[in-house]
């Protein structure tokens, strides 16, 4: 296994394929370990992991917490409601506080794109981006890739359709970078009002017709449509969105018969996805995504902690 | 593409039009001949067709037989302003004017922002038996200019495209979203190109005449500013913008240039803007109060030139029915708009008699060009197409007289205008509906 060339995990854009493959291989071994019921509590013993969440999240924070604990780290959760951020502390003040606490691994979620990158310049800890604004969510894309690879046996030459609110999605951006690097054919599908400008320049194919976008797809990745998007006028109504861009059996029928359905959660049933397909045990891998989330985060913590041990200046 | 409305047909007998001058601009046809209609569709046409046994024979006496007119833009009183005009009365006026397909504006009461309302208007059109009514869907909910409407559902219900009708979509972000969102459904947005902040309270084109009459003016720049803005938005969204009733030289120059650059922009104008100029409002004639207002002579000439050079894609009636009480008011308080269904054809033919347009070119602007813009089958004499036909005599004289026009609303800006070229008969799906 190659030494990981970065101190932090801030983005997948620019991460070379061999390192992605290494991370997925290591995550795969943690997935097997987790299924066996064993733990490796000595690996991060004595390390402090802080979950610093400026945005509400239950599943991502829990997933990191579980990953840290299974590897033996001391895990602290700081959320915006209990921190001094509400009292006017700036991001960089927070950084000095964290340094004083000798934090080793810092997991950050923030509503502003680039906030984890800013923190990473000021803290001694290895920073893991757990979602920043509409920029990236690297561990989500890694867990998605691991889920796909386990189901399909490979990533190369698969057709992946990422559907819905691509414009506001950090999950979509991280997935586009990762899947393109691993030689998937990536499509984005959605109304023009929810597709970012010059999306095709990211190396994806853009579709505004859902059936055209799903045709012969191996993987259908749905994104969450936030209710604010309706209020912002980008989509006229939930019923229209569901009718034309919600995943239902009729639209799914044009994908490959063995196509899998993914969703980063939490789902809006009846808006972007119909319950009948979301709960289809043959097609839906949404439960497995959650399981792989813990394994992927264990792998990320492990790999970044190795660099801490070496005292590498990266 | 919208499915054509189904009309009652006469399946028992065929109809053959003989001794006609057939003009089909879509096929470049202008030749003497016959045309056979069978089961409501055009079965054949040519120089010498045999008359099938039992067929009804219409001797055209050398008059011109052409595709029925496709009117891109008309306001109807229904729903909500039936005291001005009903769909039935509009259909009578349309048939007399040779119009067999008409696109209805959605800024009615209530606005056509719901699939059920669009379907209602389509069905009301079918019930006339003489006119296909293709409603526009509201571009924004309630035509209020704020949130985009449900274009997908409206399109499925039969909306041909999206507009807020006589109201401009003023907010640039809303217009951007509309252009962008309409792309998903292969559709376009029709703009009333007038910057409302500059037009508010205005009653006539700003300039010497308005100054002398003491009327609040609307600068012609209100049109060109909106056109320039929306061309920029069409460029960034890749969407298709269509400007209605373009009336100024500056706006037409911008559109001409944008077309050359490959931006998806189209436009129409209406007869008042190439037949009348602002002097028609002299003595405070409220029937000539229109929106946009009648312009200076140099703008009228620019509209004529743009019809001839292809910058303008269609001539629409821009029909706006009004009740006498809407117009019998001091000029600035009178409602804007004029009826146009019965005069669309005659006023356009006046450009042919003036030597500005060839007859097939004028017909093209009234038939196949608007039909193609909307993706319709109508507007040509092609085999298998619906037998929507107009028979007219290009030279026969008549006079426009408000009060004696077909249909209920009589607010014509052309009152007293002598015209050459009159509709003799109109057929919808093979059935005679006028003449």
């Amino acid at each position: 296994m190659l030494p990981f060339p970065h101190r932090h995990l801030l983005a997948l854009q620019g991460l070379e394929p061999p390192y992605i493959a290494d991370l997925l291989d290591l995550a795969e071994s943690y997935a097997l370990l987790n299924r066996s019921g064993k733990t490796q509590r000595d690996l991060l013993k004595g390390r402090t992991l802080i979950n610093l969440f400026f945005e509400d999240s239950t599943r991502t924070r829990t997933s990191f917490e579980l990953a840290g604990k299974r590897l033996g780290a001391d895990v602290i959760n700081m959320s915006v409601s209990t921190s001094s951020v509400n009292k006017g502390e700036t991001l960089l003040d927070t950084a000095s506080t964290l340094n004083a606490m000798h934090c080793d691994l810092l997991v950050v979620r923030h509503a502003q794109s680039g906030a984890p990158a800013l923190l990473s310049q000021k803290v001694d800890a290895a920073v893991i981006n757990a979602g920043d604004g509409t920029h990236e969510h690297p561990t989500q894309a890694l867990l998605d890739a691991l889920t796909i690879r386990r189901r399909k046996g490979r990533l190369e030459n698969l057709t992946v359709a990422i559907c819905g609110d691509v414009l506001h999605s950090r999950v979509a951006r991280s997935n586009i970078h990762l899947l393109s690097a691993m030689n998937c054919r990536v499509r984005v599908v959605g109304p023009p009002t929810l597709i970012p400008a010059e999306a095709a320049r990211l190396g994806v194919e853009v579709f505004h017709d859902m059936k055209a976008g799903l045709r012969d797809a191996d993987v259908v990745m749905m994104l969450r449509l936030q209710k604010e998007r309706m209020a912002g006028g980008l989509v006229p109504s939930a019923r229209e969105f569901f009718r034309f861009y919600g995943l239902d059996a009729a639209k799914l029928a044009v994908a490959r018969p063995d196509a899998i359905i993914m969703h980063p959660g939490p789902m809006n049933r009846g808006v972007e996805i119909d319950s009948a397909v979301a709960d289809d045990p043959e097609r839906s891998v949404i439960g497995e995504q959650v399981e792989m989330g813990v394994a992927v985060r264990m792998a990320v913590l492990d790999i970044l902690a190795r660099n801490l041990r070496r005292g590498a200046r990266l | 593409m919208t499915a054509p409305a189904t009309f009652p047909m006469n399946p028992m007998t065929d109809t053959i039009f003989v001794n006609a001058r057939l003009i089909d601009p879509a096929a470049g046809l202008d030749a003497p001949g016959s045309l056979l209609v069978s089961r409501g569709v055009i079965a054949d046409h040519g120089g010498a067709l045999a008359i099938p046994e039992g067929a009804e024979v219409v001797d055209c006496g050398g008059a011109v037989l052409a595709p029925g007119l496709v009117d891109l833009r008309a306001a109807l009183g229904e729903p909500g302003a039936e005291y001005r005009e009903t769909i039935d009365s509009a259909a009578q006026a349309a048939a007399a004017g040779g119009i067999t397909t008409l696109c209805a504006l959605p800024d009615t009461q209530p606005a056509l922002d719901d699939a059920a309302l669009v379907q209602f208007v389509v069905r009301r059109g079918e019930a006339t038996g003489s006119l296909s009514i293709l409603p526009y869907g509201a571009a924004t909910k309630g035509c209020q200019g704020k949130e985009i409407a449900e274009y997908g559902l409206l399109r499925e219900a039969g909306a041909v495209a999206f507009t807020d009708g006589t109201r401009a979509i003023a907010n640039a972000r809303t217009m951007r979203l509309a252009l962008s969102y309409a792309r998903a459904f292969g559709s376009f947005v029709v703009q009333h190109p007038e910057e409302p902040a500059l037009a508010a309270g205005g009653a006539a084109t700003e300039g010497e005449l308005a100054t002398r009459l003491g009327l609040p003016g609307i600068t012609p720049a209100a049109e060109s500013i909106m056109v320039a803005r929306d061309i920029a938005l069409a460029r960034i969204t890749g969407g298709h913008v269509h400007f209605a009733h373009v009336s100024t030289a500056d706006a037409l120059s911008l559109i001409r240039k944008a077309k050359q650059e490959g931006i998806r922009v189209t436009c129409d104008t209406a007869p008042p803007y190439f037949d009348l100029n602002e002097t028609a409002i002299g003595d405070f004639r409220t029937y000539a109060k229109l929106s946009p207002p009648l312009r200076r002579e140099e703008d009228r000439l620019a509209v004529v030139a743009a019809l001839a050079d292809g910058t303008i894609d269609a001539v629409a009636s821009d029909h706006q029915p009004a009740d006498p009480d809407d117009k019998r008011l001091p000029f600035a308080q009178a409602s804007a708009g004029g009826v146009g269904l019965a005069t669309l054809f005659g006023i356009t033919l006046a450009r042919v008699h003036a030597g500005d347009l060839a007859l097939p070119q004028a017909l093209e602007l009234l038939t196949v060009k608007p039909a193609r813009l909307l993706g319709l089958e109508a507007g040509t004499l092609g085999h298998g197409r619906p037998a929507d036909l107009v028979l007219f005599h290009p030279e026969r004289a008549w006079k426009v007289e408000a009060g004696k026009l077909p249909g209920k609303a009589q607010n014509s800006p052309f009152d007293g205008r002598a015209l050459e070229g009159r509709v003799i008969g109109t057929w919808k799906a093979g059935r005679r509906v006028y003449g």
Side-chain angles (χ1 to χ4, degrees):
Chain A
M1 191 177 216
L2 298 159
F4 194 67
H6 305 287
R7 192 155 74 96
H8 312 288
L9 182 66
L10 300 173
L12 293 180
Q13 177 165 233
L15 187 62
E16 300 286 335
Y19 302 112
I20 296 172
D22 277 352
L23 271 170
L24 295 179
D25 290 342
L26 185 60
E28 175 90 49
S29 70
Y30 279 119
L32 297 174
L33 181 80
N34 288 342
R35 283 201 177 172
S36 73
K38 292 181 197 142
T39 53
Q40 276 208 324
R41 296 207 189 268
D42 50 337
L43 200 76
L44 294 183
K45 196 168 179 0
R47 294 289 187 191
T48 304
L49 165 67
I50 296 184
N51 273 326
L52 181 61
F53 276 61
F54 295 90
E55 255 189 1
D56 284 343
S57 160
T58 306
R59 68 178 66 203
T60 305
R61 199 209 66 218
T62 311
S63 184
F64 271 108
E65 185 174 355
L66 207 49
K69 284 182 171 162
R70 284 197 182 152
L71 296 177
D74 297 321
V75 182
I76 314 290
N77 291 320
M78 286 174 69
S79 68
V80 68
S81 52
T82 55
S83 84
S84 48
V85 173
N86 279 351
K87 299 172 193 159
E89 187 178 81
T90 69
L91 199 56
L92 296 183
D93 292 338
T94 309
S96 13
T97 308
L98 292 166
N99 281 341
M101 291 174 181
H102 301 291
C103 162
D104 299 299
L105 293 152
L106 180 64
V107 175
V108 182
R109 166 165 291 192
H110 200 285
Q112 293 294 324
S113 302
L118 179 63
L119 263 181
S120 75
Q121 293 165 13
K122 299 292 171 188
V123 296
D124 302 327
V127 175
I128 299 154
N129 179 3
D132 61 331
T134 57
H135 174 227
E136 283 222 37
H137 191 349
T139 56
Q140 178 71 42
L142 287 164
L143 74 87
D144 288 340
L146 180 59
T147 307
I148 296 169
R149 205 178 72 168
R150 284 166 60 94
R151 284 297 178 120
K152 296 291 175 188
R154 67 180 204 282
L155 291 173
E156 297 72 33
N157 297 319
L158 293 175
T159 299
V160 181
I162 303 176
C163 307
D165 184 4
V166 179
L167 180 63
H168 300 97
S169 178
R170 53 196 175 210
V171 174
R173 282 171 180 74
S174 285
N175 265 302
I176 288 168
H177 299 314
L178 186 157
L179 294 169
S180 304
M182 302 310 276
N183 290 318
C184 285
R185 287 184 297 268
V186 184
R187 301 171 177 174
V188 296
V189 185
T193 46
L194 294 179
I195 301 291
E198 306 202 339
R201 296 287 290 269
L202 304 184
V204 300
E205 254 191 295
V206 177
F207 292 85
H208 301 307
D209 179 83
M210 183 100 167
K211 278 193 173 172
L214 293 190
R215 195 163 305 284
D216 299 322
D218 297 288
V219 177
V220 181
M221 195 179 278
M222 300 307 298
L223 300 171
R224 176 176 167 77
L225 180 75
Q226 295 184 355
K227 296 214 167 60
E228 303 92 87
R229 305 310 165 210
M230 246 91 74
L234 295 171
V235 171
S237 66
R239 68 172 180 176
E240 169 136 321
F241 188 82
F242 183 68
R243 169 75 183 72
F244 293 95
Y245 296 103
L247 185 67
D248 57 18
K251 298 191 193 85
L252 185 60
V254 303
R256 286 178 57 94
D258 60 351
I260 56 170
I261 301 161
M262 309 180 78
H263 194 297
M267 285 184 280
N268 284 312
R269 291 166 184 269
V271 179
E272 73 261 358
I273 193 162
D274 188 52
S275 286
V277 294
D279 302 332
D280 180 348
E282 303 288 312
R283 315 290 292 272
S284 171
V285 297
I286 295 167
E288 190 170 335
Q289 284 175 275
V290 178
E291 182 188 352
M292 291 308 120
V294 178
V296 154
R297 283 157 188 140
M298 289 168 81
V300 168
L301 295 176
D302 179 355
I303 277 203
L304 293 181
R306 291 179 201 189
N307 283 345
L308 288 177
R309 268 197 297 281
R310 281 205 306 272
R313 303 308 299 166
L314 292 161
Chain B
M1 190 173 296
T2 311
T6 49
F7 278 86
M9 286 179 277
N10 188 348
M12 302 309 289
T13 52
D14 295 348
T15 306
I16 186 156
F17 296 81
V18 299
N19 197 16
R21 176 182 168 192
L22 300 174
I23 301 185
D24 184 11
L29 172 74
D30 182 359
S34 307
L35 181 139
L36 177 66
V37 172
S38 185
R39 305 178 74 83
V41 300
I42 296 166
D44 202 1
H45 61 69
L49 296 185
I51 296 174
E53 203 175 325
E56 182 198 350
V57 179
V58 178
D59 186 346
C60 301
V64 178
L65 189 64
L69 274 46
V70 178
D71 183 2
L72 260 189
R73 182 181 177 88
L76 302 177
E78 275 187 61
E82 289 82 356
Y83 71 98
R84 288 182 178 146
E85 187 172 67
T86 62
I87 282 177
D88 283 338
S89 87
Q92 282 170 29
I99 297 164
T100 49
T101 302
L102 173 150
C103 302
L105 296 183
D107 48 334
T108 46
Q109 289 291 335
L112 306 184
D113 64 358
D114 188 276
L117 289 163
V118 167
Q119 285 166 348
F120 163 77
V121 174
V122 170
R123 280 199 305 274
R124 292 282 291 116
E126 287 171 6
T128 66
S130 66
L131 182 65
S132 295
I133 297 180
L134 309 175
Y136 286 104
T140 64
K141 290 173 187 167
C143 293
Q144 293 297 309
K146 296 193 176 84
E147 293 169 68
I148 54 172
E150 296 170 319
Y151 295 179
L153 298 173
L154 291 169
R155 192 109 172 92
E156 284 189 336
V160 276
F162 301 94
T163 181
D164 278 352
T166 57
R167 298 179 208 177
I169 300 162
N171 183 294
R173 179 176 180 268
T174 303
M175 186 62 176
R176 176 192 184 161
L177 292 176
L179 288 168
S180 184
Y181 195 63
R183 275 182 63 207
F185 305 101
S187 192
F188 59 97
V189 180
V190 179
Q191 175 70 294
H192 168 66
E194 187 174 71
E195 168 50 51
L198 287 173
T205 294
E206 191 172 291
E208 184 191 338
L209 183 73
T211 298
R212 287 181 187 280
L213 291 173
L215 291 173
I218 299 174
T219 169
E223 179 168 287
S224 48
I225 285 170
M226 193 60 105
V227 165
R229 183 198 82 174
D230 288 352
I231 287 170
L233 294 175
R235 182 191 281 122
I236 61 166
T237 57
H240 173 181
V241 62
H242 177 91
F243 297 109
H245 46 219
V246 178
S247 61
T248 61
D250 284 350
L252 288 164
S253 303
L254 292 166
I255 292 165
R256 192 176 285 119
K257 182 163 163 284
K259 284 184 162 191
Q260 283 160 2
E261 288 171 18
I263 298 168
R264 298 177 66 204
V265 49
T266 52
C267 70
D268 67 70
T269 194
Y273 304 107
F274 56 80
D275 196 73
L276 302 173
N277 64 27
E278 60 182 349
T279 58
I281 66 166
D283 297 331
F284 303 101
R285 280 185 64 233
T286 58
Y287 276 17
K289 182 180 177 185
L290 306 174
S291 174
L294 289 169
R295 306 294 190 182
R296 297 177 193 202
E297 178 63 7
E298 51 265 41
D299 285 314
R300 185 190 74 83
L301 292 172
V303 172
V304 172
L307 284 172
D309 74 12
T311 302
I312 294 174
D313 299 276
V315 176
S317 73
D318 205 17
H319 180 73
Q320 289 283 344
D323 184 76
D325 290 341
D326 300 328
K327 287 288 191 181
R328 273 195 226 113
L329 289 166
F331 194 90
Q333 292 170 355
S335 75
V339 289
L341 298 175
T343 51
L344 169 64
F345 199 32
I347 303 285
T348 307
L349 285 179
R351 287 302 106 213
V352 176
H353 294 301
D356 297 320
L357 300 174
L359 181 56
Q361 199 180 5
L363 283 170
E364 192 175 39
L365 289 162
L366 295 166
T367 58
V368 67
K369 279 193 159 184
R372 280 192 188 139
L373 186 63
L374 300 167
L376 305 179
E377 277 200 310
T380 96
L381 299 182
H383 294 179
R385 300 300 178 99
D388 295 353
L389 304 166
V390 60
L391 182 68
F392 66 97
H393 201 294
E395 270 89 38
R396 188 169 297 176
W398 64 293
K399 191 172 172 183
V400 181
E401 287 179 86
K404 294 184 181 172
L405 290 167
K408 184 166 186 279
Q410 298 292 320
N411 52 308
S412 172
F414 301 108
D415 187 22
R417 176 84 159 86
L419 290 172
E420 277 178 276
R422 183 149 212 190
V423 175
I424 303 167
T426 306
W427 284 260
K428 179 68 191 175
R431 203 171 67 86
R432 189 163 197 152
V433 295
Y434 175 75

